[in-house]
Amino acid sequence: MTDCIFCKIIKGEIPSAKVFESETVYAFRDINPMAPTHILIVPKAHIPSADGVTAENSSAVAAIFEAIPQIAKAEGLTNGYRVITNCGEDGCQTVKHLHFHLLGGKKLPESMA
Ligand code: 5GP
Ligand code: ZN
């Protein structure tokens, strides 16, 4: 999508600190980190949110979850981490391109809501 900030990052039109890339997945450091490690993992194909995942595009989501342990290992997250996706208004999603937050490097707060 032309006006999507993450599509622009994937295309290199907006700079990002890339940590992982494959044919279908791109991962980069969050510009406003909420933990010592805070990485965003996105499908290269524009999927608006978790609510837009279908049988046709879910292979990209599987590829993201295959990438996560590799990224976590490369980041030294040996003691665990958290993966989050915010969806829609109530989920406080701000960027409308599906992304998973990988957070770690400290003991994270227990509460999720
Ligand atoms: P959401 O609230 O939609 O789940 O998360 C969007 C995330 O994208 C936020 O954590 C925000 O800091 C991050 N973000 C927004 N714009 C940019 C950007 O231009 N570059 C990077 N690296 N992260 C961004
Ligand atoms: Zn997009």
Side-chain angles (χ1 to χ4, degrees):
M1 251 177 76
T2 48
D3 63 344
C4 170
I5 192 167
F6 285 177
C7 282
K8 286 182 180 163
I9 283 175
I10 292 159
K11 282 188 265 179
E13 293 170 9
I14 294 175
S16 66
K18 177 173 84 171
V19 298
F20 178 92
E21 184 170 15
S22 72
E23 207 180 310
T24 56
V25 176
Y26 191 83
F28 54 103
R29 296 194 191 282
D30 195 293
I31 205 165
N32 183 26
M34 307 294 279
T37 295
H38 187 170
I39 290 166
L40 300 172
I41 310 159
V42 307
K44 285 188 173 174
H46 181 88
I47 301 171
S49 75
D51 208 41
V53 176
T54 64
E56 282 67 45
N57 63 24
S58 63
S59 61
V61 180
I64 286 172
F65 276 81
E66 287 170 31
I68 284 170
Q70 298 177 47
I71 297 168
K73 190 173 182 193
E75 292 292 318
L77 303 180
T78 53
N79 206 37
Y81 50 85
R82 181 172 290 160
V83 178
I84 294 175
T85 190
N86 296 323
C87 179
E89 278 302 306
D90 283 0
C92 293
Q93 181 185 5
T94 59
V95 178
K96 311 299 189 218
H97 180 127
L98 176 64
H99 53 281
F100 293 87
H101 298 257
L102 172 63
L103 297 152
K106 71 170 185 183
K107 181 83 172 172
L108 297 163
E110 222 173 276
S111 171
M112 296 281 292

